[in-house]
Amino acid sequence: MALVIEQCQIAPSPGSVAELTLPLTYFDFQWLNFHRMRRILFYKFPISKTTFVQTIIPSLTNSLSLTLKHYISLAGNVVCPLDLSGYPELRYLTGDSVSVIFSESYMDFDFLVGNHPRNAKEFYPFVPQLADAKHAPGVLLAPLLAIQVTLFPNHGISIGSTHHHVAGDGASFAGFTKAWASLNKFGGDEQFLAKEFIPYYDRSVIKDPHGLRMSYWDVMKNIKLEICDHIVIPPHKVRATFIITRDDIRKLKNLILSRRPNLTHVTSFTVTCAYVWTCLIKSEGATIGKEIDENEMEFFVCVADCRARFKPPIHPSYFGNCLMAYIARTRHADLVGKEGFTIAVELIGEPIQKRIKDEEWILNGKWFKEFSTVNAKRLLSVAGSPKLDLYAADFGWGRPEKLEFVSIDNGDGVSMSLSKSKDSDEDLEIGLSLPKARMNAFAAIFTHGLNVL
């Protein structure tokens, strides 16, 4: 439970542009109907309510306003034509703003930031809901970002955010978060805002020789668009975090190379995702009480940042979506057998190795068409990336104590979050949201497998 202290609208500070309109690219369209992204950063910062109200709230509102001067699109809306005759776009006009809630809670802070299983519903009081879409002449306007800052008196602070993925990908929002943190830490002094955190908005850098933008919109407009934000709290799921250490990763790599010495794409990412995938598949069989058809197809999906894959490369601080997907699939029997982990590493690493520098594969959109062949109920997808390093977001209170991707609760399949570990850049942190029995089974399989390496 979180009690509201103050609710306000934060607009970009003076000096920002009066208007900004950004067309959606084909990279953006695929996220138009995607569930909203919810994330919480927890900070151990034992302060009183008086200090929070008198010092923290004014500082955060001022630094957020300054940040929005640069990330101005986030204060705007996604604009959808009611008759679907035109293209949706992102639009900011003077007067647009971001909803911010400041609240307090007496829930057990240390319990929430633990790695052990915790009821998923416990986290929803700390993430905001986006406001309902508004009607304007001929269009619907849906906000892109909402923020909630919660004080746990004498324990800590959480910063929860909800954003529409259509506005930008993980790299874009990580840049926004780090920019806000930097401005807050240094009292709003913009000279400390690193160039890497200044967003680049030019949509013309996204090449589209095959007309994917028009093709994707023709598909999207025939789907009922979920323009409003709907929070669905999972009643029977728990959240847990698992750490895979540098030593674990080294052993997993050595195991693979001893079995497949010619494999060329054996990275920390591939072995970690392959290990989680196989443990997850095995955990299902241990909990449902019946055998799964050995020919049932299992799917794995991850996305990759395309900015550096274009020729010439797109500006690294390009603000928007610039992601393509890699899809791996195989029979259930392949993953639960003795060679399951090896097969998973091959399947995940092969498309990455094959497509990592293939610009034409990105431009022709074949990767997008593959989604139509995926059974979402048999899917493991990945949210986040160690490269984003949100544990580096220091608002002046030190590094976050915990990062939670609340939105991995959603979807028909399973989504895992992946980030650098709080305590070591070389360890990885895995977040999962599962029914309690399956989480227990996964934890046992995951721990046992690492112990016997």
Side-chain angles (χ1 to χ4, degrees):
M1 186 73 178
L3 303 174
V4 175
I5 297 172
E6 180 181 334
Q7 187 165 2
C8 55
Q9 297 292 132
I10 304 298
S13 65
S16 57
V17 299
E19 181 176 343
L20 177 69
T21 300
L22 297 173
L24 299 186
T25 72
Y26 55 90
F27 285 120
D28 300 321
F29 273 129
Q30 61 184 305
W31 303 105
L32 190 57
N33 218 33
F34 198 68
H35 62 72
R36 305 306 181 257
M37 307 305 293
R38 308 186 199 280
R39 185 183 66 205
I40 309 174
L41 287 165
F42 290 93
Y43 292 85
K44 213 164 226 186
F45 191 49
I47 59 169
S48 67
K49 182 177 178 180
T50 299
T51 302
F52 181 72
V53 171
Q54 295 180 352
T55 304
I56 300 301
I57 290 180
S59 175
L60 286 174
T61 54
N62 178 63
S63 57
L64 177 58
S65 181
L66 288 169
T67 307
L68 291 172
K69 182 175 74 171
H70 300 283
Y71 289 83
I72 196 164
S73 63
L74 292 179
N77 298 276
V78 57
V79 181
C80 291
L82 290 172
D83 61 3
L84 303 181
S85 59
Y87 289 97
E89 60 188 16
L90 305 183
R91 183 190 302 166
Y92 166 80
L93 298 174
T94 298
D96 289 341
S97 57
V98 172
S99 171
V100 181
I101 295 172
F102 293 97
S103 59
E104 65 176 323
S105 174
Y106 288 88
M107 285 189 65
D108 187 334
F109 181 87
D110 292 328
F111 174 80
L112 289 171
V113 300
N115 290 342
H116 58 280
R118 294 139 298 150
N119 197 313
K121 69 181 181 181
E122 305 280 7
F123 293 85
Y124 283 82
F126 313 115
V127 286
Q129 184 168 8
L130 290 170
D132 290 339
K134 298 178 294 186
H135 282 270
V139 297
L140 273 177
L141 305 174
L144 298 170
L145 174 66
I147 291 168
Q148 180 175 340
V149 182
T150 303
L151 169 71
F152 299 81
N154 302 310
H155 288 87
I157 294 173
S158 71
I159 297 183
S161 63
T162 298
H163 68 262
H164 199 317
H165 207 314
V166 75
D169 54 24
S172 295
F173 279 92
F176 161 75
T177 303
K178 291 177 185 178
W180 182 21
S182 177
L183 285 172
N184 193 75
K185 181 176 181 178
F186 295 107
D189 191 335
E190 293 184 74
Q191 70 174 336
F192 290 101
L193 193 60
K195 289 183 179 180
E196 65 183 291
F197 299 146
I198 303 298
Y200 181 82
Y201 284 118
D202 186 359
R203 293 295 201 263
S204 69
V205 298
I206 303 295
K207 295 184 283 188
D208 187 13
H210 298 282
L212 295 181
R213 181 171 182 263
M214 182 182 294
S215 299
Y216 287 8
W217 177 233
D218 285 342
V219 172
M220 292 302 303
K221 69 184 180 182
N222 290 317
I223 301 172
K224 183 180 178 182
L225 294 180
E226 288 291 347
I227 196 71
C228 295
D229 180 20
H230 300 288
I231 292 183
V232 179
I233 300 176
H236 305 300
K237 285 187 175 181
V238 296
R239 303 177 61 83
T241 304
F242 300 86
I243 306 298
I244 190 161
T245 67
R246 173 181 61 178
D247 193 45
D248 295 329
I249 292 169
R250 178 184 58 80
K251 290 177 181 179
L252 289 171
K253 287 180 179 179
N254 289 341
L255 175 63
I256 285 297
L257 292 174
S258 69
R259 296 175 177 177
R260 298 286 193 277
N262 295 324
L263 280 184
T264 57
H265 199 80
V266 181
T267 66
S268 298
F269 177 84
T270 55
V271 298
T272 298
C273 290
Y275 185 66
V276 172
W277 193 19
T278 51
C279 290
L280 194 66
I281 297 301
K282 292 172 183 175
S283 72
E284 183 184 25
T287 56
I288 65 172
K290 63 179 181 180
E291 289 189 7
I292 301 168
D293 185 348
E294 65 177 15
N295 292 314
E296 182 81 60
M297 294 300 294
E298 306 287 358
F299 299 86
F300 173 87
V301 173
C302 64
V303 294
D305 188 337
C306 296
R307 289 168 177 79
R309 290 170 167 79
F310 279 96
K311 301 170 186 175
I314 292 172
H315 197 288
S317 63
Y318 170 81
F319 193 92
N321 289 286
C322 197
L323 301 173
M324 65 167 289
Y326 297 114
I327 300 174
R329 69 190 75 207
T330 192
R331 297 184 316 135
H332 178 84
D334 294 333
L335 295 179
V336 297
K338 290 183 178 180
E339 291 293 303
F341 172 61
T342 305
I343 292 169
V345 172
E346 287 183 295
L347 289 171
I348 294 172
E350 181 182 348
I352 295 175
Q353 177 66 24
K354 185 177 180 181
R355 305 298 184 189
I356 195 167
K357 295 181 179 179
D358 189 346
E359 184 186 41
E360 179 56 27
W361 177 255
I362 302 171
L363 295 174
N364 63 29
K366 289 182 180 178
W367 54 272
F368 181 77
K369 296 173 184 176
E370 281 193 51
F371 277 115
S372 63
T373 66
V374 171
N375 178 358
K377 294 181 179 180
R378 309 299 307 175
L379 171 66
L380 171 63
S381 58
V382 182
S385 166
K387 294 179 180 179
L388 303 181
D389 193 16
L390 284 166
Y391 278 112
D394 179 0
F395 283 80
W397 318 321
R399 288 168 64 85
E401 186 69 17
K402 193 67 185 297
L403 166 64
E404 290 285 349
F405 289 83
V406 178
S407 44
I408 64 171
D409 293 337
N410 304 117
D412 294 327
V414 176
S415 183
M416 60 178 271
S417 64
L418 188 63
S419 63
K420 283 185 179 178
S421 171
K422 172 191 67 175
D423 299 316
S424 169
D425 284 349
E426 295 182 273
D427 298 346
L428 295 178
E429 201 168 283
I430 299 149
L432 286 170
S433 177
L434 299 169
K436 186 175 181 180
R438 189 171 184 189
M439 185 70 82
N440 290 340
F442 173 87
I445 295 167
F446 180 90
T447 304
H448 174 74
L450 295 180
N451 287 340
V452 299
L453 281 175

